[in-house]
Structures are given as C-alpha cells and as structure tokens.
C-alpha cells in the first residue's frame, strides 16, 4: 500500500507499547494494529485499504483434552467477541456493516 502511495516506509520494531503509543501521539510514526483497536482522544485508528481481517487467528487444542467437547462453543464465542470488539471501532464497525459476509 505504501509503494502504491509513492513512498517506502522505514520500518522499526518497537516492542514497548507505551513507547510506541507516545511516538504515534507525537506524530513521529504510525503502527499497524488489530481491528479491535479503538480510537482515543489523542490517537486515531484508520483502516488502510481492503479487508481489515487480513490476519487469520487460529484456535488449537489437544483432541484428547477434557476441553474437547467445549471447543465448538468456545470458538463461536471467541469469533463473536472479536467481531463485537472490532465493531466498537467506528472504522471497522462501518466496514463490518457494509460487508456482512465477512463474519459468516
């Protein structure tokens, strides 16, 4: 997306979330975040382009686990919670209402 916009970003990995947030708020950088991220008074969250759910999340468990019978319901619950979380972000909430098949 950056190349299509005519620039090549300098990439830096900062593993410290408070430092990253401070750099973003001061206008020194941007960050890639999850659709469940919500804007704050001093921080905007915007969808770049296309499908915001480009990362696939997986649920893994042992088949012989005592939890095996609960996995289908747990999976459905986690999907519902993630979609609801993304819906609390105005940018992603709009995208979700415009693309209902994305959560089917």
């Amino acid at each position: 997306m950056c190349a299509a916009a005519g620039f090549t970003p300098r990439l830096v990995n900062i593993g410290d979330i408070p430092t990253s947030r401070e750099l973003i708020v001061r206008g020194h950088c941007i960050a890639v975040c999850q659709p469940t991220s919500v804007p704050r008074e001093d921080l905007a969250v915007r969808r770049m382009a296309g499908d915001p759910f480009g990362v696939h999340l997986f649920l893994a468990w042992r088949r012989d686990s005592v939890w095996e019978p609960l996995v289908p319901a747990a999976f459905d619950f986690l999907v519902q919670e993630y979609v609801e979380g993304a819906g609390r972000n105005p940018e992603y909430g709009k995208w979700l209402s415009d693309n209902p098949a994305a959560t089917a």
Side-chain angles (χ1 to χ4, degrees):
M1 285 184 263
C2 295
F7 71 97
T8 303
R10 184 172 56 118
L11 302 176
V12 177
N13 183 10
I14 301 172
D16 175 14
I17 292 173
T19 300
S20 299
R21 184 176 184 277
E22 185 64 24
L23 289 169
I24 294 165
V25 168
R26 290 175 181 245
H28 296 296
C29 66
I30 63 170
V32 177
C33 58
Q34 292 288 330
T36 52
S37 301
V38 292
R40 300 171 193 254
E41 181 180 313
D42 57 354
L43 189 68
V45 177
R46 300 289 185 259
R47 187 171 60 84
M48 290 175 70
D51 183 349
F53 298 102
V55 175
H56 295 272
L57 303 175
F58 295 90
L59 177 63
W61 68 94
R62 289 179 52 110
R63 290 185 186 271
D64 60 353
S65 166
V66 295
W67 303 108
E68 169 76 19
L70 303 175
V71 170
F75 178 78
D76 291 342
F77 174 77
L78 290 171
V79 169
Q80 177 183 346
E81 288 297 309
Y82 192 86
V83 169
E84 285 180 19
R88 285 190 285 275
N89 176 316
E91 293 275 323
Y92 295 111
K94 179 177 179 346
W95 187 89
L96 283 167
S97 50
D98 292 345
N99 297 276
T103 60

